[in-house]
Coordinates of all heavy atoms in Angstrom, one line a residue:
M1 N 133.3 -6.2 9.9 CA 133.3 -5.6 8.6 C 134.4 -4.6 8.5 O 135.0 -4.5 7.5 CB 131.9 -5.0 8.3 CG 130.7 -5.9 8.4 SD 130.5 -7.0 7.1 CE 130.1 -6.0 5.7
V2 N 134.7 -3.9 9.6 CA 135.8 -3.0 9.6 C 137.1 -3.7 9.4 O 138.0 -3.3 8.7 CB 135.8 -2.1 10.9 CG1 137.0 -1.2 11.0 CG2 134.5 -1.3 10.9
Y3 N 137.2 -4.8 10.2 CA 138.4 -5.6 10.1 C 138.7 -6.1 8.6 O 139.8 -6.0 8.1 CB 138.3 -6.9 11.0 CG 139.5 -7.8 10.9 CD1 140.6 -7.6 11.6 CD2 139.5 -8.9 10.0 CE1 141.7 -8.5 11.6 CE2 140.6 -9.7 9.9 CZ 141.7 -9.5 10.7 OH 142.7 -10.4 10.6
G4 N 137.6 -6.5 8.0 CA 137.7 -7.0 6.6 C 138.1 -5.9 5.6 O 138.9 -6.1 4.7
S5 N 137.6 -4.7 5.9 CA 137.9 -3.6 5.0 C 139.4 -3.1 5.2 O 140.0 -2.6 4.3 CB 137.0 -2.4 5.1 OG 137.0 -1.9 6.4
N6 N 139.9 -3.3 6.4 CA 141.2 -2.8 6.7 C 142.3 -3.9 6.4 O 143.3 -3.5 5.8 CB 141.4 -2.5 8.2 CG 140.7 -1.2 8.6 OD1 140.4 -0.4 7.8 ND2 140.3 -1.1 9.9
Y7 N 142.0 -5.2 6.6 CA 143.0 -6.2 6.5 C 142.7 -7.2 5.3 O 143.4 -8.1 5.1 CB 143.2 -7.0 7.8 CG 143.6 -6.1 8.9 CD1 142.8 -5.7 9.9 CD2 145.0 -5.7 9.0 CE1 143.2 -4.9 10.9 CE2 145.4 -4.9 10.0 CZ 144.5 -4.5 11.0 OH 144.9 -3.7 12.0
G8 N 141.6 -7.0 4.7 CA 141.2 -7.9 3.6 C 140.2 -9.0 4.2 O 140.3 -9.4 5.3
Y9 N 139.3 -9.4 3.3 CA 138.3 -10.4 3.7 C 138.8 -11.8 3.5 O 139.5 -12.1 2.6 CB 137.0 -10.2 2.8 CG 136.3 -8.9 3.1 CD1 136.4 -7.9 2.2 CD2 135.5 -8.8 4.2 CE1 135.7 -6.7 2.5 CE2 134.8 -7.6 4.5 CZ 134.9 -6.6 3.6 OH 134.3 -5.4 3.9
K10 N 138.5 -12.6 4.5 CA 139.0 -14.0 4.4 C 138.1 -14.9 3.5 O 138.5 -15.9 3.1 CB 139.0 -14.6 5.8 CG 139.9 -13.9 6.8 CD 141.3 -14.2 6.6 CE 142.1 -13.5 7.6 NZ 143.5 -13.8 7.6
T11 N 136.9 -14.4 3.3 CA 135.9 -15.2 2.5 C 135.6 -14.4 1.3 O 135.3 -13.2 1.4 CB 134.6 -15.5 3.3 OG1 135.0 -16.2 4.5 CG2 133.6 -16.3 2.5
D12 N 135.5 -15.1 0.2 CA 135.1 -14.4 -1.1 C 133.6 -14.5 -1.2 O 133.0 -15.5 -1.4 CB 135.7 -15.2 -2.3 CG 135.4 -14.5 -3.6 OD1 135.0 -13.3 -3.6 OD2 135.5 -15.2 -4.6
F13 N 132.9 -13.4 -0.9 CA 131.5 -13.3 -0.8 C 130.8 -13.6 -2.2 O 129.6 -13.9 -2.2 CB 131.0 -12.0 -0.2 CG 131.4 -11.8 1.2 CD1 132.3 -10.9 1.6 CD2 130.7 -12.6 2.2 CE1 132.7 -10.8 2.9 CE2 131.1 -12.5 3.5 CZ 132.0 -11.6 3.9
S14 N 131.5 -13.4 -3.3 CA 130.9 -13.6 -4.6 C 130.7 -15.1 -4.9 O 129.8 -15.5 -5.7 CB 131.7 -13.0 -5.7 OG 133.0 -13.6 -5.7
S15 N 131.4 -16.0 -4.2 CA 131.3 -17.4 -4.5 C 130.5 -18.2 -3.5 O 130.4 -19.4 -3.6 CB 132.7 -18.0 -4.6 OG 133.4 -18.0 -3.4
I16 N 129.9 -17.6 -2.5 CA 129.2 -18.3 -1.5 C 127.8 -18.6 -2.0 O 127.1 -17.8 -2.5 CB 129.1 -17.5 -0.2 CG1 130.5 -17.3 0.4 CG2 128.2 -18.1 0.8 CD1 130.5 -16.5 1.7
D17 N 127.4 -19.9 -1.8 CA 126.0 -20.2 -2.1 C 125.2 -20.2 -0.8 O 125.3 -21.1 0.0 CB 126.0 -21.7 -2.7 CG 124.7 -22.1 -3.1 OD1 123.7 -21.3 -3.2 OD2 124.5 -23.3 -3.4
F18 N 124.5 -19.1 -0.6 CA 123.8 -18.9 0.7 C 122.6 -19.8 0.8 O 122.1 -20.0 1.9 CB 123.3 -17.4 0.8 CG 124.4 -16.5 1.1 CD1 124.9 -15.6 0.1 CD2 125.0 -16.4 2.3 CE1 125.9 -14.7 0.3 CE2 126.0 -15.5 2.6 CZ 126.5 -14.7 1.6
F19 N 122.1 -20.4 -0.2 CA 121.0 -21.3 -0.1 C 121.3 -22.7 -0.3 O 120.5 -23.5 -0.6 CB 120.0 -20.9 -1.2 CG 119.5 -19.5 -1.1 CD1 119.9 -18.5 -1.9 CD2 118.6 -19.1 -0.1 CE1 119.5 -17.2 -1.8 CE2 118.2 -17.8 0.1 CZ 118.6 -16.8 -0.7
Q20 N 122.5 -23.1 0.1 CA 123.0 -24.5 0.0 C 122.4 -25.2 1.2 O 122.5 -24.8 2.3 CB 124.5 -24.5 0.0 CG 125.1 -25.9 -0.1 CD 126.6 -25.9 -0.1 OE1 127.2 -24.8 0.2 NE2 127.2 -27.0 -0.3
W21 N 121.7 -26.3 0.9 CA 121.1 -27.1 2.0 C 122.1 -28.1 2.6 O 122.8 -28.8 1.9 CB 119.9 -27.9 1.4 CG 119.4 -28.9 2.4 CD1 119.6 -30.2 2.4 CD2 118.7 -28.6 3.6 NE1 119.0 -30.8 3.5 CE2 118.4 -29.8 4.3 CE3 118.2 -27.4 4.2 CZ2 117.7 -29.9 5.4 CZ3 117.5 -27.5 5.3 CH2 117.2 -28.7 6.0
K22 N 122.2 -28.1 3.9 CA 123.0 -29.0 4.6 C 122.2 -29.6 5.8 O 121.4 -28.9 6.4 CB 124.3 -28.3 5.2 CG 125.2 -27.9 4.2 CD 126.5 -27.3 4.8 CE 127.5 -27.0 3.7 NZ 128.7 -26.5 4.2
P23 N 122.4 -30.9 6.1 CA 121.6 -31.5 7.1 C 121.8 -30.9 8.5 O 120.9 -31.0 9.4 CB 122.0 -33.0 7.1 CG 122.6 -33.2 5.8 CD 123.2 -31.9 5.3
E24 N 123.0 -30.3 8.7 CA 123.2 -29.7 10.0 C 122.3 -28.5 10.4 O 122.1 -28.1 11.5 CB 124.7 -29.1 10.1 CG 125.7 -30.2 10.0 CD 126.5 -30.2 8.7 OE1 126.5 -29.1 8.1 OE2 127.1 -31.2 8.4
I25 N 121.6 -28.0 9.4 CA 120.7 -26.9 9.6 C 119.5 -27.3 10.4 O 119.0 -26.5 11.2 CB 120.2 -26.3 8.2 CG1 121.4 -25.6 7.5 CG2 119.1 -25.3 8.4 CD1 121.1 -25.2 6.1
L26 N 119.2 -28.6 10.4 CA 118.1 -29.1 11.2 C 118.4 -29.0 12.7 O 117.5 -28.9 13.5 CB 117.8 -30.6 10.9 CG 117.2 -30.8 9.5 CD1 117.0 -32.3 9.2 CD2 115.9 -30.1 9.3
G27 N 119.6 -28.9 13.1 CA 120.0 -28.7 14.5 C 119.6 -27.3 15.0 O 119.6 -27.1 16.2
L28 N 119.4 -26.4 14.1 CA 119.0 -25.0 14.5 C 117.5 -24.9 14.7 O 117.0 -23.9 15.2 CB 119.4 -24.0 13.4 CG 120.9 -24.0 13.1 CD1 121.3 -23.1 12.0 CD2 121.7 -23.6 14.4
V29 N 116.7 -25.9 14.3 CA 115.2 -25.8 14.5 C 114.8 -25.6 15.9 O 114.0 -24.7 16.2 CB 114.5 -27.0 13.9 CG1 113.0 -27.1 14.2 CG2 114.7 -27.0 12.4
P30 N 115.4 -26.3 16.9 CA 115.0 -26.0 18.3 C 115.3 -24.5 18.7 O 114.5 -24.0 19.5 CB 115.8 -27.0 19.1 CG 116.2 -28.1 18.2 CD 116.3 -27.4 16.9
V31 N 116.4 -24.0 18.2 CA 116.7 -22.6 18.5 C 115.6 -21.6 18.0 O 115.2 -20.7 18.6 CB 118.1 -22.2 18.0 CG1 118.4 -20.8 18.2 CG2 119.1 -23.1 18.6
I32 N 115.2 -21.9 16.8 CA 114.2 -21.1 16.1 C 112.8 -21.2 16.9 O 112.2 -20.2 17.2 CB 114.0 -21.4 14.7 CG1 115.3 -21.1 13.9 CG2 112.8 -20.7 14.0 CD1 115.3 -21.7 12.5
V33 N 112.5 -22.4 17.3 CA 111.2 -22.6 18.1 C 111.3 -21.9 19.4 O 110.4 -21.2 19.9 CB 110.9 -24.1 18.2 CG1 109.8 -24.3 19.2 CG2 110.6 -24.7 16.9
F34 N 112.5 -22.0 20.1 CA 112.7 -21.3 21.4 C 112.6 -19.8 21.3 O 112.1 -19.2 22.2 CB 114.1 -21.7 21.9 CG 114.3 -21.1 23.2 CD1 113.7 -21.6 24.4 CD2 115.2 -20.0 23.3 CE1 114.0 -21.0 25.6 CE2 115.5 -19.4 24.6 CZ 114.9 -19.9 25.7
N35 N 113.0 -19.3 20.1 CA 112.9 -17.8 20.0 C 111.5 -17.3 19.9 O 111.2 -16.2 20.2 CB 113.6 -17.4 18.7 CG 115.1 -17.5 18.9 OD1 115.6 -17.3 20.0 ND2 115.8 -17.7 17.8
F36 N 110.5 -18.2 19.5 CA 109.1 -17.8 19.4 C 108.3 -18.0 20.7 O 107.2 -17.6 20.8 CB 108.4 -18.5 18.2 CG 108.8 -17.9 16.9 CD1 109.6 -18.6 16.1 CD2 108.3 -16.6 16.5 CE1 110.0 -18.1 14.9 CE2 108.7 -16.1 15.3 CZ 109.5 -16.8 14.5
L37 N 109.0 -18.7 21.7 CA 108.3 -18.9 23.0 C 108.0 -17.5 23.6 O 108.9 -16.7 23.7 CB 109.1 -19.8 23.9 CG 109.2 -21.2 23.4 CD1 110.1 -22.0 24.4 CD2 107.9 -21.9 23.3
G38 N 106.9 -17.3 24.2 CA 106.6 -16.1 24.9 C 105.9 -15.0 24.0 O 105.5 -14.0 24.5
I39 N 105.7 -15.3 22.7 CA 105.0 -14.3 21.9 C 103.6 -14.1 22.3 O 103.0 -13.1 22.2 CB 105.2 -14.6 20.4 CG1 104.8 -13.4 19.6 CG2 104.3 -15.8 20.0 CD1 105.3 -13.4 18.2
E40 N 103.0 -15.2 22.9 CA 101.6 -15.0 23.4 C 101.4 -14.1 24.5 O 100.4 -13.6 24.8 CB 101.0 -16.4 23.7 CG 101.6 -17.1 24.9 CD 102.9 -17.8 24.7 OE1 103.3 -17.9 23.6 OE2 103.5 -18.3 25.7
V41 N 102.5 -13.8 25.3 CA 102.5 -12.9 26.4 C 102.2 -11.5 25.9 O 101.5 -10.7 26.6 CB 103.8 -13.0 27.2 CG1 103.8 -11.9 28.3 CG2 104.0 -14.3 27.7
V42 N 102.6 -11.2 24.7 CA 102.4 -9.8 24.2 C 100.9 -9.6 23.9 O 100.5 -8.4 24.0 CB 103.2 -9.7 22.8 CG1 103.0 -8.3 22.2 CG2 104.7 -9.9 23.1
Y43 N 100.2 -10.6 23.6 CA 98.7 -10.4 23.4 C 98.0 -9.9 24.7 O 96.9 -9.3 24.6 CB 98.1 -11.7 22.9 CG 98.4 -12.0 21.5 CD1 99.2 -13.1 21.2 CD2 98.0 -11.2 20.5 CE1 99.5 -13.5 19.9 CE2 98.3 -11.5 19.2 CZ 99.1 -12.6 18.9 OH 99.4 -12.9 17.6
A44 N 98.6 -10.1 25.8 CA 98.0 -9.6 27.1 C 98.1 -8.1 27.1 O 97.4 -7.4 27.9 CB 98.7 -10.2 28.3
L45 N 99.0 -7.5 26.3 CA 99.1 -6.0 26.3 C 98.2 -5.3 25.3 O 98.3 -4.1 25.2 CB 100.6 -5.7 25.9 CG 101.7 -6.3 26.8 CD1 103.0 -6.0 26.3 CD2 101.5 -5.7 28.2
D46 N 97.3 -6.1 24.7 CA 96.5 -5.4 23.7 C 95.5 -4.4 24.3 O 95.1 -3.5 23.6 CB 95.8 -6.4 22.8 CG 94.7 -7.2 23.6 OD1 94.8 -7.1 24.9 OD2 93.9 -7.9 23.0
K47 N 95.2 -4.5 25.5 CA 94.3 -3.5 26.2 C 95.0 -2.2 26.3 O 94.4 -1.2 26.3 CB 93.9 -4.0 27.6 CG 93.0 -5.3 27.5 CD 92.7 -5.7 28.9 CE 93.8 -6.7 29.2 NZ 93.8 -7.6 30.2
D48 N 96.3 -2.2 26.4 CA 97.1 -1.0 26.6 C 97.5 -0.3 25.3 O 98.0 0.8 25.3 CB 98.4 -1.3 27.4 CG 98.0 -1.8 28.8 OD1 96.9 -1.5 29.3 OD2 98.8 -2.6 29.3
M49 N 97.4 -1.1 24.2 CA 97.8 -0.5 22.9 C 96.6 0.2 22.2 O 95.5 -0.1 22.3 CB 98.2 -1.7 21.9 CG 99.5 -2.3 22.2 SD 99.9 -3.6 21.0 CE 100.8 -2.7 19.8
E50 N 97.0 1.2 21.4 CA 96.0 1.9 20.6 C 96.0 1.1 19.3 O 97.0 0.8 18.7 CB 96.4 3.3 20.3 CG 96.4 4.2 21.6 CD 96.9 5.6 21.2 OE1 97.0 6.0 20.1 OE2 97.2 6.3 22.2
R51 N 94.8 0.8 18.8 CA 94.6 0.1 17.5 C 95.5 -1.2 17.5 O 96.4 -1.3 16.6 CB 94.9 1.0 16.3 CG 94.0 2.2 16.3 CD 94.3 3.1 15.1 NE 95.7 3.0 14.7 CZ 96.4 3.9 14.0 NH1 95.7 5.0 13.7 NH2 97.6 3.8 13.7
P52 N 95.3 -2.2 18.3 CA 96.2 -3.3 18.4 C 96.2 -4.2 17.1 O 97.2 -4.8 16.8 CB 95.7 -4.1 19.6 CG 94.3 -3.7 19.8 CD 94.2 -2.2 19.3
F53 N 95.1 -4.2 16.4 CA 95.0 -5.0 15.2 C 95.9 -4.4 14.1 O 96.2 -5.1 13.1 CB 93.6 -5.1 14.7 CG 92.7 -6.0 15.5 CD1 91.8 -5.4 16.4 CD2 92.9 -7.3 15.6 CE1 91.0 -6.2 17.2 CE2 92.2 -8.2 16.4 CZ 91.2 -7.6 17.2
I54 N 96.2 -3.1 14.2 CA 97.1 -2.5 13.2 C 98.5 -2.4 13.7 O 99.5 -2.7 13.0 CB 96.6 -1.1 12.8 CG1 95.2 -1.2 12.2 CG2 97.5 -0.3 12.0 CD1 94.5 0.1 12.0
N55 N 98.7 -2.0 14.9 CA 100.0 -1.7 15.5 C 100.8 -3.0 15.8 O 102.0 -3.0 15.7 CB 99.9 -0.8 16.7 CG 99.5 0.6 16.4 OD1 99.7 1.0 15.3 ND2 98.9 1.2 17.4
F56 N 100.1 -4.0 16.3 CA 100.8 -5.3 16.6 C 101.5 -5.9 15.4 O 102.7 -6.2 15.5 CB 99.9 -6.2 17.3 CG 100.6 -7.5 17.9 CD1 101.4 -7.4 19.0 CD2 100.4 -8.7 17.2 CE1 102.0 -8.5 19.4 CE2 101.1 -9.8 17.7 CZ 101.9 -9.7 18.8
P57 N 100.8 -6.1 14.3 CA 101.5 -6.7 13.1 C 102.6 -5.9 12.6 O 103.6 -6.4 12.2 CB 100.4 -6.9 12.1 CG 99.1 -6.9 12.9 CD 99.3 -6.0 14.1
I58 N 102.4 -4.5 12.7 CA 103.5 -3.7 12.2 C 104.7 -3.8 13.1 O 105.8 -3.8 12.6 CB 103.0 -2.2 12.2 CG1 102.0 -2.0 11.0 CG2 104.1 -1.2 12.0 CD1 101.3 -0.7 11.0
S59 N 104.5 -3.9 14.4 CA 105.6 -4.0 15.3 C 106.3 -5.3 15.2 O 107.6 -5.4 15.3 CB 105.2 -3.8 16.8 OG 104.3 -4.8 17.2
I60 N 105.6 -6.4 14.9 CA 106.2 -7.7 14.6 C 107.0 -7.7 13.4 O 108.2 -8.2 13.3 CB 105.1 -8.8 14.6 CG1 104.4 -9.0 15.9 CG2 105.7 -10.1 14.1 CD1 105.3 -9.5 17.0
L61 N 106.5 -7.0 12.3 CA 107.3 -6.9 11.1 C 108.5 -6.1 11.2 O 109.6 -6.4 10.7 CB 106.4 -6.4 10.0 CG 105.3 -7.3 9.5 CD1 104.4 -6.6 8.5 CD2 105.9 -8.5 8.8
I62 N 108.4 -5.0 11.9 CA 109.6 -4.1 12.2 C 110.6 -4.9 13.0 O 111.8 -4.9 12.7 CB 109.2 -2.8 12.8 CG1 108.4 -2.0 11.9 CG2 110.4 -2.1 13.4 CD1 107.8 -0.7 12.5
S63 N 110.2 -5.6 14.0 CA 111.1 -6.4 14.8 C 111.8 -7.5 14.0 O 113.0 -7.7 14.1 CB 110.4 -7.1 16.0 OG 109.8 -6.1 16.8
A64 N 111.0 -8.2 13.2 CA 111.6 -9.3 12.3 C 112.6 -8.7 11.4 O 113.7 -9.3 11.1 CB 110.5 -10.0 11.6
L65 N 112.3 -7.5 10.8 CA 113.3 -6.9 9.9 C 114.6 -6.5 10.6 O 115.7 -6.8 10.1 CB 112.6 -5.6 9.2 CG 113.5 -4.9 8.2 CD1 113.8 -5.7 7.0 CD2 112.8 -3.6 7.9
L66 N 114.5 -5.9 11.8 CA 115.7 -5.5 12.5 C 116.5 -6.8 13.0 O 117.7 -6.7 12.9 CB 115.3 -4.7 13.8 CG 114.7 -3.3 13.5 CD1 114.2 -2.7 14.8 CD2 115.8 -2.5 12.9
I67 N 115.8 -7.8 13.3 CA 116.5 -9.1 13.7 C 117.2 -9.6 12.5 O 118.4 -10.1 12.6 CB 115.5 -10.1 14.3 CG1 115.1 -9.6 15.7 CG2 116.1 -11.5 14.4 CD1 113.9 -10.4 16.2
C68 N 116.6 -9.7 11.3 CA 117.2 -10.2 10.1 C 118.5 -9.3 9.8 O 119.5 -9.9 9.4 CB 116.3 -10.2 8.9 SG 115.0 -11.5 9.1
I69 N 118.3 -8.0 9.8 CA 119.5 -7.2 9.5 C 120.6 -7.4 10.5 O 121.8 -7.5 10.1 CB 119.0 -5.7 9.5 CG1 118.1 -5.4 8.3 CG2 120.2 -4.7 9.5 CD1 117.4 -4.1 8.4
T70 N 120.3 -7.6 11.8 CA 121.3 -7.8 12.8 C 122.0 -9.1 12.5 O 123.3 -9.2 12.6 CB 120.7 -7.8 14.2 OG1 120.0 -6.6 14.4 CG2 121.7 -8.1 15.3
Y71 N 121.3 -10.2 12.2 CA 121.9 -11.5 11.9 C 122.8 -11.4 10.7 O 123.8 -12.0 10.6 CB 120.8 -12.6 11.8 CG 120.4 -13.2 13.1 CD1 119.2 -12.9 13.7 CD2 121.3 -14.1 13.7 CE1 118.9 -13.5 14.9 CE2 120.9 -14.7 14.9 CZ 119.7 -14.4 15.5 OH 119.4 -15.0 16.6
I72 N 122.3 -10.7 9.6 CA 123.1 -10.6 8.4 C 124.4 -9.9 8.6 O 125.5 -10.3 8.2 CB 122.2 -10.0 7.3 CG1 121.1 -11.0 6.8 CG2 123.1 -9.6 6.1 CD1 120.1 -10.4 5.9
I73 N 124.3 -8.8 9.4 CA 125.5 -8.0 9.6 C 126.5 -8.8 10.5 O 127.7 -8.9 10.2 CB 125.2 -6.7 10.3 CG1 124.5 -5.7 9.3 CG2 126.4 -6.0 10.9 CD1 124.0 -4.5 9.9
A74 N 126.0 -9.6 11.5 CA 126.9 -10.4 12.3 C 127.5 -11.5 11.5 O 128.7 -11.8 11.6 CB 126.1 -11.0 13.5
T75 N 126.7 -12.1 10.6 CA 127.2 -13.2 9.8 C 128.3 -12.7 8.8 O 129.3 -13.4 8.7 CB 126.1 -13.9 9.0 OG1 125.1 -14.4 10.0 CG2 126.6 -15.1 8.2
M76 N 128.0 -11.6 8.2 CA 129.0 -11.0 7.3 C 130.3 -10.6 8.1 O 131.4 -10.8 7.5 CB 128.4 -9.8 6.6 CG 127.3 -10.1 5.7 SD 127.6 -11.2 4.3 CE 128.3 -10.0 3.2
G77 N 130.2 -10.2 9.3 CA 131.3 -9.8 10.1 C 132.2 -11.1 10.4 O 133.4 -11.0 10.3
I78 N 131.5 -12.1 10.8 CA 132.2 -13.4 11.1 C 132.9 -13.9 9.8 O 134.0 -14.3 9.9 CB 131.3 -14.4 11.7 CG1 130.8 -14.0 13.1 CG2 131.9 -15.8 11.8 CD1 129.7 -14.8 13.7
L79 N 132.2 -13.9 8.7 CA 132.7 -14.4 7.5 C 133.9 -13.6 7.0 O 134.7 -14.1 6.2 CB 131.7 -14.6 6.4 CG 130.7 -15.7 6.6 CD1 129.6 -15.7 5.6 CD2 131.4 -17.1 6.6
S80 N 133.9 -12.3 7.3 CA 135.0 -11.4 6.8 C 136.3 -11.7 7.6 O 137.3 -11.4 7.1 CB 134.6 -10.0 6.9 OG 134.4 -9.6 8.3
T81 N 136.2 -12.2 8.8 CA 137.4 -12.4 9.6 C 137.8 -13.8 9.7 O 139.0 -14.1 9.9 CB 137.2 -11.9 11.1 OG1 136.1 -12.6 11.6 CG2 136.9 -10.4 11.1
L82 N 137.0 -14.8 9.4 CA 137.3 -16.2 9.5 C 137.2 -16.8 8.1 O 136.3 -16.4 7.3 CB 136.4 -17.0 10.4 CG 136.6 -16.6 11.9 CD1 135.5 -17.4 12.7 CD2 137.9 -16.9 12.4
D83 N 138.0 -17.8 7.8 CA 137.8 -18.6 6.6 C 136.6 -19.4 6.6 O 136.2 -19.9 7.7 CB 139.0 -19.4 6.3 CG 139.0 -20.1 5.0 OD1 138.7 -19.4 4.0 OD2 139.3 -21.3 4.9
R84 N 135.9 -19.6 5.5 CA 134.6 -20.3 5.5 C 134.8 -21.7 5.9 O 133.9 -22.3 6.5 CB 134.1 -20.3 4.1 CG 132.7 -20.9 4.0 CD 132.1 -20.7 2.6 NE 130.8 -21.3 2.5 CZ 130.3 -21.8 1.5 NH1 130.9 -21.6 0.3 NH2 129.1 -22.3 1.5
N85 N 135.9 -22.3 5.7 CA 136.1 -23.7 6.1 C 136.4 -23.9 7.6 O 136.3 -25.0 8.1 CB 137.3 -24.3 5.3 CG 137.1 -24.3 3.8 OD1 135.9 -24.6 3.4 ND2 138.1 -24.1 3.1
E86 N 136.6 -22.8 8.3 CA 136.9 -22.9 9.8 C 135.6 -22.8 10.6 O 135.6 -22.9 11.8 CB 137.8 -21.7 10.2 CG 139.2 -21.8 9.6 CD 140.0 -20.6 10.0 OE1 139.6 -19.9 10.9 OE2 141.0 -20.3 9.3
I87 N 134.4 -22.5 9.9 CA 133.2 -22.3 10.6 C 132.2 -23.5 10.4 O 132.1 -24.0 9.3 CB 132.5 -21.0 10.0 CG1 133.4 -19.8 10.1 CG2 131.2 -20.8 10.6 CD1 133.0 -18.6 9.4
S88 N 131.6 -23.9 11.5 CA 130.6 -25.0 11.4 C 129.2 -24.3 11.6 O 129.1 -23.3 12.3 CB 130.9 -26.0 12.6 OG 129.8 -26.9 12.6
L89 N 128.2 -24.9 11.1 CA 126.9 -24.4 11.2 C 126.3 -24.5 12.6 O 125.5 -23.7 13.0 CB 125.9 -25.1 10.2 CG 126.1 -24.7 8.7 CD1 125.2 -25.5 7.9 CD2 125.9 -23.2 8.5
V90 N 126.6 -25.6 13.3 CA 126.0 -25.9 14.6 C 126.9 -25.5 15.7 O 126.4 -24.9 16.7 CB 125.5 -27.3 14.6 CG1 124.9 -27.7 16.0 CG2 124.5 -27.6 13.5
S91 N 128.1 -25.9 15.7 CA 129.0 -25.7 16.9 C 129.9 -24.5 16.7 O 130.1 -24.0 15.6 CB 129.8 -26.9 17.2 OG 130.6 -27.3 16.1

């Protein structure tokens, strides 16, 4: 993002259709499933948590929000330095 503000953005963010469906997105499904592996291990820690029925969902929501923000910032950084036509969804 700093590079884009100093040298100009390579991608015009006003014309990007973020919700455009492409079949290559299906290649990302195994990555998403892999990211959720191991979440059942956290349930073993419920004996050590105070009010696990309240704190566990809150911690999952906070984690999901931080992950989304991180991915959005990284994507905007990549799009600011590279032209949109130079980027592939899968590779």
